[in-house]
Amino acid sequence: MLLTKFKGKEALIPQLKGKVFLVTCHGCKEVNLSGAEHEAELLFNEALASQHINGLLTADYICNPEYLQARFERFADQVREADTILVFSCGVGVQTIADAFPNKRVIAANDTYPLPGFQGVTPLEHDCKQCGQCYLNLTGGICPITACSKSLINGQCGGAKNGKCEVDPNMECGWERIQKKLAQIGRLDALKCPVQLRDYSVDAKSE
Amino acid sequence: MRITELFDNGEFVVTAEVGPPKGIHVDHLVEEAKEHLSGITAVNVTDNQSSVMRMGSLPTCVLLKNAGLTPILQLTCRDRNRIALQSELLGAAALGIDNILCLTGDHTRMGDHPGAKPVFDLDSVSLLHTVCQLEKGVDLAGNPLVGEAPKFAKGAVVSPCSDSVDAQLAKMERKVMAGAEYFQTQAVFDSEKFIQFMEQAKQFGKPVQLGVIIPKSAGMAKFMNKNVAGVHVPQWMIDELAADKEKAKAGITGVELAAKVIKECRPYCQGLHIMALGWEAKVPELLKLAGI
Ligand code: SF4
Ligand code: SF4
């Protein structure tokens, strides 16, 4: 199970470039601690006035790529026009959208935390370890915690060979993927962010 | 002596690497180092290299220092969390070890205890940042240190011949931002590639020591090409090593090839880092042949 918590407007506003399309997922609504939908609507209403936001899609289980495509069909024009897609969902949902729209700036609005109990039933290609400090906005929507064998958050180690991870020659190096993705979406500046440190004391209850 | 002072004076800094034993007898290591490595600037001591458990880097550094050498403490993030790493750094400073090299470290899966917990609480970048904090007199959590703050020459590594060279350059920049003052590179066999890399790396304004391995045989070269990240031995070198097996075995071919790389790259780098891998005895000869 998981919880999501809004990163806060101050953290997100600088991330939003150009026209913004909003996506909110209520697949796991009952565990949505932040009331993200409500916040999303607030941000939506507020931003409508400034005409930055050009559409809102509310769906469930956006982590399912097939579902996702069907849901987005109706919004094809808005999405095409949008520069940024701001996603209120868990880490898997954001990664799925970042994958589906490789040329958009896909931004995670939430941090994802674990919640004791059963594990979500999402046997999909993307994985979220619910680290509580979602890094997807710095990594082009590829999760460094699950895509890198060492869960490195400050860049590639020296172990990649032929683009594969030192631990598993069948696994693509996560940081090689991140580097390519950031280059593709013109966001290599994200690599100039301050030194990142994990905080293992965070949980959904901490402020 | 911090080796950064030498870089600042424009000296060409030569270092070599030794690995502590899997056991408690280090006399041999110290003797070998004294005999063959006394002529060079400093000696790196690896930290459970390749995730294979051995004696610690710090005690070995102290023994080398007592023998009159200048050790560089290699510190990886694989086996210790941020508390243990900071504690080790304070201990090093107290024992007079003031040259360090910060690495992320190989994954535990690569070594002889594959079931061990991989820590990676910090990584090379956040470790460098941590060292800078200690130098400012506070720990990573912001608590003040008692008394004088430690001061280190802070080194890091980079892989110029990696097939992910963009990611390596990006990481190098983050290391510089985090406080790295000098770099040692993964072994270079392809001068062309190194020179191209330096074209880009020179923008960071930090001294770079060319990494060199003396190739021992065609078999070793092929093995490294297949298994060692960031290492590529060109085919013509492999052919040369295979051409005269006796000459290669005696180390003559390897020393010649390594010396050639050093000569070609020297105008583009600020020092040399030799990974002798048991061939410490050949280091003086290599330096002579390379004209250093
Ligand atoms: S960085 Fe990865 S593990 Fe952390 S919340 Fe985001 S998707 Fe989940
Ligand atoms: S090779 Fe790549 S994926 Fe593997 S640990 Fe290093 S940075 Fe992470």
Side-chain angles (χ1 to χ4, degrees):
Chain A
M1 289 280 272
L2 55 91
L3 291 165
T4 59
K5 199 158 147 189
F6 188 47
K7 278 180 181 284
K9 260 199 299 196
E10 290 86 78
L12 289 173
I13 299 287
Q15 299 270 8
L16 308 180
K17 298 272 149 70
K19 281 205 170 15
V20 181
F21 186 82
L22 280 180
V23 180
T24 80
C25 178
H26 55 79
C28 307
K29 191 177 182 176
E30 65 281 8
V31 292
N32 201 328
L33 183 86
S34 60
E37 246 181 300
H38 176 64
E39 292 234 31
E41 267 167 37
L42 280 185
L43 197 60
F44 180 81
N45 291 334
E46 214 173 284
L48 260 189
S50 56
Q51 295 182 335
H52 281 318
I53 294 200
N54 74 342
L56 168 68
L57 165 62
T58 302
D60 55 4
Y61 299 106
I62 58 167
C63 49
N64 181 323
E66 277 162 31
Y67 254 50
L68 182 74
Q69 273 204 330
R71 305 270 178 205
F72 266 92
E73 255 162 34
R74 227 161 19 101
F75 297 93
D77 290 342
Q78 280 115 307
V79 173
R80 198 173 314 117
E81 272 173 29
D83 304 284
T84 304
I85 305 180
L86 178 63
V87 188
F88 289 78
S89 76
C90 78
V92 177
V94 183
Q95 290 177 67
T96 310
I97 293 187
D99 221 19
F101 300 100
N103 297 316
K104 303 284 176 194
R105 193 180 174 97
V106 174
I107 298 296
N110 293 340
D111 290 318
T112 306
Y113 297 82
L115 181 72
F118 69 85
Q119 289 272 288
V121 201
T122 48
L124 300 161
E125 61 181 298
H126 299 295
D127 194 5
C128 166
K129 279 227 179 94
Q130 303 153 7
C131 75
Q133 294 171 278
C134 196
Y135 295 98
L136 293 175
N137 297 345
L138 297 173
T139 56
I142 295 169
C143 169
I145 307 296
T146 56
C148 166
S149 298
K150 298 174 190 166
S151 295
L152 300 178
I153 50 178
N154 285 298
Q156 188 185 48
C157 79
K161 181 130 186 133
N162 303 322
K164 305 291 188 211
C165 174
E166 69 173 24
V167 179
D168 178 358
N170 296 315
M171 172 187 152
E172 263 185 272
C173 164
W175 275 97
E176 177 78 9
R177 286 173 56 204
I178 292 170
Q179 181 81 28
K180 286 201 182 123
K181 181 74 186 286
L182 289 174
Q184 182 191 356
I185 59 177
R187 290 213 51 206
L188 286 170
D189 60 302
L191 295 170
K192 301 198 200 294
C193 67
V195 174
Q196 299 295 311
L197 273 178
R198 284 289 292 276
D199 181 353
Y200 287 94
S201 74
V202 293
D203 58 38
K205 283 170 248 116
S206 58
E207 265 319 308
Chain B
M1 176 214 43
R2 287 193 291 275
I3 69 166
T4 39
E5 292 162 23
L6 304 177
F7 286 121
D8 290 346
N9 292 340
E11 278 183 46
F12 192 78
V13 174
V14 181
T15 57
E17 194 166 290
V18 298
K22 200 178 186 80
I24 59 175
H25 294 294
V26 270
D27 304 355
H28 179 69
L29 181 149
V30 175
E31 283 313 312
E32 285 255 299
K34 260 194 348 206
E35 190 179 339
H36 306 301
L37 306 178
S38 288
I40 64 169
T41 315
V43 179
N44 281 44
V45 183
T46 56
D47 175 11
N48 295 295
Q49 192 175 17
S50 310
S51 307
V52 172
M53 191 286 295
R54 299 155 204 258
M55 185 192 280
S57 179
L58 181 54
T60 311
C61 281
V62 172
L63 292 167
L64 287 174
K65 189 179 161 71
N66 292 345
L69 292 127
T70 302
I72 299 177
L73 175 75
Q74 293 200 182
L75 209 51
T76 73
C77 302
R78 173 191 57 238
D79 309 313
R80 284 159 292 204
N81 70 5
R82 64 191 80 177
I83 298 175
L85 285 167
Q86 292 178 90
S87 170
E88 185 90 343
L89 283 160
L90 294 183
L95 291 164
I97 309 298
D98 50 8
N99 292 295
I100 58 169
L101 188 81
C102 299
L103 306 115
T104 297
D106 294 326
H107 198 280
T108 43
R109 223 68 87 68
M110 315 293 286
D112 67 349
H113 289 61
K117 180 175 187 182
V119 178
F120 303 115
D121 177 23
L122 301 183
D123 54 48
S124 51
V125 173
S126 45
L127 178 58
L128 286 160
H129 167 76
T130 304
V131 178
C132 291
Q133 291 299 108
L134 295 178
E135 290 180 338
K136 284 184 204 144
V138 289
D139 66 17
L140 191 55
N143 308 301
L145 303 181
V146 180
E148 189 196 338
K151 179 84 190 102
F152 298 99
K154 301 176 286 297
V157 296
V158 67
S159 226
C161 304
S162 161
D163 27 45
S164 314
V165 73
D166 291 343
Q168 284 294 309
L169 280 162
K171 180 83 174 243
M172 185 180 184
E173 183 168 10
R174 286 186 72 70
K175 289 179 181 181
V176 172
M177 261 171 44
E181 296 168 299
Y182 70 94
F183 286 84
Q184 297 183 338
T185 78
Q186 174 59 293
V188 172
F189 293 94
D190 187 337
S191 317
E192 238 359 76
K193 265 205 181 143
F194 179 77
I195 294 166
Q196 277 169 20
F197 170 84
M198 284 308 297
E199 273 305 309
Q200 305 220 44
K202 68 178 183 210
Q203 62 179 304
F204 306 128
K206 299 293 172 197
V208 173
Q209 291 176 266
L210 171 80
V212 169
I213 287 178
I214 307 169
K216 293 182 183 177
S217 66
M220 177 214 204
K222 284 188 214 153
F223 177 85
M224 290 193 295
N225 280 353
K226 187 153 180 276
N227 299 298
V228 182
V231 173
H232 179 74
V233 188
Q235 189 57 42
W236 71 267
M237 278 195 186
I238 299 179
D239 294 342
E240 204 145 308
L241 285 161
D244 187 338
K245 286 214 172 67
E246 285 310 309
K247 192 180 164 198
K249 208 166 155 204
I252 302 168
T253 318
V255 167
E256 281 173 6
L257 292 173
K260 178 171 155 58
V261 175
I262 297 171
K263 279 194 194 146
E264 287 168 357
C265 296
R266 183 166 181 179
Y268 304 91
C269 59
Q270 289 70 43
L272 182 61
H273 176 63
I274 305 164
M275 293 158 266
L277 307 173
W279 273 11
E280 282 75 18
K282 310 224 179 296
V283 170
E285 206 181 314
L286 170 63
L287 294 176
K288 206 168 126 213
L289 195 60
I292 290 166

